[in-house]
Amino acid sequence: MPKLRLTAAAVDRFQPPAKGQVEYYDAHLPAFGLRVSYSGAKAWFVMTRINGKLTRLTLGRYPALSLAEAREKARQVIENAKAGGDPRRLEAEERRRKAKEQQTTFRGTAALFMERYVERELRPNTAREYRRILQGSDTAAWRDRPISSISKDDVVDLLHRIEERGSPAAANRALAYLGKFFNWSLEQDLITVSPTAKVRALSSGKSRERVLTPEELAWLWCTLNGYPGLFGGLFKVLLLTGQRRSEVAGMRWDELRSLNTSEAVWHLPPERTKNAQSHLVPLAPAVRTILQMLPRTGPLVFSTTSKTAVSGFSKAKRQLDLRIAQLRSDEHLASLLPWTLHDLRRTMVTTMNERLSVPPHVVEAVVNHISGPAKRGVAGVYNRAIYLNERRNALNHWADYVTRLVCDNHASDSMALQFAQGLAQQEQIPSRPARLIAAMPEVHLQS
C-alpha cells in the first residue's frame, strides 16, 4: 500500500495495474486514499472507525470528485465518526435530499405529474399534448430549475414566444396545460402559489368562423396537386375527409378496410377519437387513389420514420401558404386571407349543409359529432343508426365538388342539385332547391 503526498499531478500519472487494484494512501491525511483498478477507474476512499469497527467508505470517483473536494469530504467523515455519528447514514440522508431536490425541479415534477395524473386519467392524444408542453422544447430552459422558482414572468415570456411563431391558439392551449400542471403541484404542496394564477390568455380564443370560398378551395386543391412530399397527400386527405388533424396524421394501414374497393372505409378506434367513440369514414375514390399511391414504410400511413406519425405541421402549412401566395402573385392576385387546417373541416361541414344539401344528421355523422338533436339525450340512447351509406354518398360528392372546382367552375351547380335530389329520394323527404355557388372567376395556374 504505497503512501505519498497526493497531488493532482500525481493522481493523473497513476497507471492501472495489470490486474486487481492498487491503493495509494495520502501522507498528509493517512486515513484518506485513492484506489486505482485494472480497468482504469480511480475512486477516493477513507478509513475510519464506526461503532469501534474499522470501516472503509467510498467517497466518489476521480475526476468527477477532485482531490481537494475528496480530501475535505474525508475530513468531515472522520470528524463525524469521532463525534459518534454514522457517515453512512449521513450519506443516505444526502442522497435522499438530492433525490427530493431532483423531484422538485420542473423536470422531476413534470415527470411525476405525467405518471400520476396524465398517463392514468387522460386520453393518449391529450397526454401527447401535455408531454409536448411540459417535456418539449418550449419549457427546456426550466427543466433543472426548482419548480418554486418558475414565475409569472417566465410563463408570460413562454406564451409570447409561442404566439410570435404565429400560433396564438397554441399559446392559449399551453396556458391551459400549464395551469393544470401548476394547480396539481399546488395540491401536492410542491409550491405555495401557481405562476399561472393571474395570467390571461393572449388571444380571445373566440370560436373561429373562417370558411374557404369555392375559389379559395380551387387554388388550394390546384396547389396541393403539385405539393411535394408526404404533406401533399396528408393535406389532401385532411381536406377530402374533414376529419381532425391528429386523426389523419395518426392513420394506420390496419385501420383501412377494403381499400381497393368501392366499399373502402377507414375505421377509427375509440382511443383515437376526441369523443372516445369509434368512427367509420367512408373513403371516396379520390381519397383511395391518394392512399394507394403512398409508400408503405411501416404501420403508419403518414410517417417518415415508420415508427412515429408525421410532425412539423406549422412549417408545412407556412410553405403551402407561400406556394399559394406565389401562384396568385403571378396572376396579380392578393394572397388568401389567413386560414388554418381546422378551417378545412369547418368548410366541409358548411358546404355540405349549405351547398350540397346534406341532411344535418348525416353531416354530424360524417364528422363524428354527437351534439345534434338526433343523437342527444334520450333520442341518442335509442338512435344507433350510423348512416354509413348516406355518409359515403356525402363524402363522395364532397370530394367530387372539391376536385371539379378547378376543372369546371360551374360543375358544382348541377352536382349540388343532383345530390340534393338523390338524398331526397333516398330518404323519402321533399327535395329542396340547392343553393348554387356564385360565379367563380377562371383560375389560370402556371405549371
Side-chain angles (χ1 to χ4, degrees):
M1 293 185 294
K3 182 178 290 188
L4 68 163
R5 181 175 177 81
L6 294 178
T7 65
V11 170
D12 284 333
R13 287 196 302 268
F14 289 151
Q15 297 298 314
K19 60 179 180 178
Q21 59 189 26
V22 60
E23 295 176 344
Y24 298 91
Y25 280 84
D26 185 20
H28 183 70
L29 185 63
F32 167 65
L34 178 74
R35 182 171 59 248
V36 182
S37 70
Y38 73 96
S39 66
K42 299 177 180 179
W44 304 108
F45 67 89
V46 64
M47 301 291 293
T48 189
R49 291 189 178 276
I50 301 175
N51 298 325
K53 182 179 179 181
L54 188 62
T55 305
R56 180 199 305 271
L57 298 176
T58 300
L59 304 174
R61 289 199 171 197
Y62 178 82
L65 189 66
S66 70
L67 170 61
E69 292 169 335
R71 187 179 276 134
E72 179 60 29
K73 191 173 182 179
R75 287 195 182 96
Q76 292 176 1
V77 168
I78 294 170
E79 291 173 3
N80 287 333
K82 286 181 179 178
D86 187 340
R88 293 169 298 185
R89 180 178 58 79
L90 297 176
E91 187 73 19
E93 290 177 354
E94 177 66 10
R95 285 196 299 271
R96 285 194 294 270
R97 184 191 68 78
K98 288 183 177 180
K100 185 175 181 181
E101 186 178 82
Q102 177 64 25
Q103 277 190 350
T104 54
T105 61
F106 181 85
R107 184 205 305 265
T109 308
L112 282 178
F113 175 69
M114 293 297 299
E115 175 189 348
R116 296 180 182 178
Y117 173 71
V118 175
E119 304 291 356
R120 294 181 184 179
E121 305 292 337
L122 305 181
R123 296 173 59 249
N125 285 349
T126 307
R128 183 171 60 249
E129 289 300 306
Y130 269 103
R131 196 175 300 112
R132 183 176 62 81
I133 294 297
L134 298 177
Q135 299 175 325
S137 58
D138 287 323
T139 53
W142 297 358
R143 288 175 185 169
D144 296 322
R145 290 176 53 183
I147 186 175
S148 58
S149 74
I150 308 298
S151 67
K152 176 182 176 181
D153 287 342
D154 291 322
V155 173
V156 172
D157 287 345
L158 180 145
L159 298 181
H160 278 299
R161 288 200 306 272
I162 297 175
E163 185 185 44
E164 287 168 2
R165 295 200 301 256
S167 305
N172 287 352
R173 288 195 300 272
L175 176 59
Y177 294 138
L178 288 171
K180 182 66 179 178
F181 164 67
F182 282 113
N183 286 338
W184 179 87
S185 302
L186 195 61
E187 293 169 359
Q188 304 299 312
D189 293 326
L190 299 175
I191 55 176
T192 57
V193 63
S194 170
T196 61
K198 295 183 179 181
V199 178
R200 300 179 63 180
L202 300 184
S203 61
S204 64
K206 293 180 180 178
S207 176
R208 294 180 60 88
E209 298 178 355
R210 179 78 162 95
V211 173
L212 276 68
T213 67
E215 183 200 8
E216 290 173 326
L217 284 175
W219 280 96
L220 172 59
W221 183 255
C222 230
T223 306
L224 286 175
N225 281 334
Y227 194 81
L230 201 60
F231 275 104
L234 192 153
F235 286 159
K236 283 184 177 180
V237 173
L238 200 63
L239 171 61
L240 297 182
T241 64
Q243 304 311 302
R244 293 182 176 88
R245 189 188 78 177
S246 61
E247 294 168 350
V248 175
M251 181 187 288
R252 299 175 58 89
W253 289 110
D254 58 13
E255 293 174 352
L256 304 176
R257 314 288 170 78
S258 305
L259 184 58
N260 297 322
T261 74
S262 60
E263 300 300 314
V265 68
W266 170 25
H267 175 234
L268 274 159
E271 60 270 19
R272 289 238 299 117
T273 63
K274 185 175 181 179
N275 60 9
Q277 301 288 324
S278 62
H279 183 41
L280 295 175
V281 184
L283 300 177
V287 178
R288 300 205 312 268
T289 299
I290 295 166
L291 296 175
Q292 288 166 344
M293 292 177 64
L294 294 173
R296 298 200 181 196
T297 58
L300 294 165
V301 176
F302 298 103
S303 174
T304 56
T305 65
S306 79
K307 295 180 180 179
T308 58
V310 68
S311 60
F313 281 93
S314 297
K315 181 179 179 181
K317 171 61 166 55
R318 286 195 298 271
Q319 291 174 342
L320 177 60
D321 288 338
L322 289 173
R323 198 179 184 92
I324 296 174
Q326 182 59 56
L327 289 172
R328 287 177 63 85
S329 175
D330 292 343
E331 296 295 323
H332 307 290
L333 298 172
S335 299
L336 299 185
L337 294 174
W339 60 279
T340 69
L341 292 177
H342 191 75
D343 293 336
L344 301 181
R345 179 176 168 89
R346 184 182 302 105
T347 299
M348 185 193 76
V349 169
T350 302
T351 305
M352 281 186 172
N353 278 294
E354 296 186 353
R355 297 188 186 277
L356 302 182
S357 301
V358 181
H361 65 277
V362 176
V363 178
E364 295 281 302
V366 165
V367 293
N368 198 22
H369 279 177
I370 55 175
S371 58
K375 289 287 186 177
R376 279 202 302 257
V378 176
V381 175
Y382 296 99
N383 186 1
R384 298 300 183 187
I386 62 174
Y387 309 112
L388 188 59
N389 290 335
E390 293 87 343
R391 277 193 266 174
R392 186 178 300 280
N393 201 20
L395 284 166
N396 284 350
H397 281 76
W398 163 246
D400 287 342
Y401 174 84
V402 172
T403 56
R404 292 185 186 181
L405 280 172
V406 178
C407 303
D408 182 354
N409 295 341
H410 302 288
S412 55
D413 291 1
S414 59
M415 186 164 44
L417 183 57
Q418 291 171 11
F419 182 48
Q421 292 172 342
L423 283 175
Q425 184 177 7
Q426 182 183 40
E427 300 196 1
Q428 297 182 349
I429 58 175
S431 63
R432 57 189 177 87
R435 294 186 181 181
L436 304 182
I437 64 170
M440 189 176 70
E442 284 194 39
V443 176
H444 301 284
L445 293 184
Q446 296 179 351
S447 58

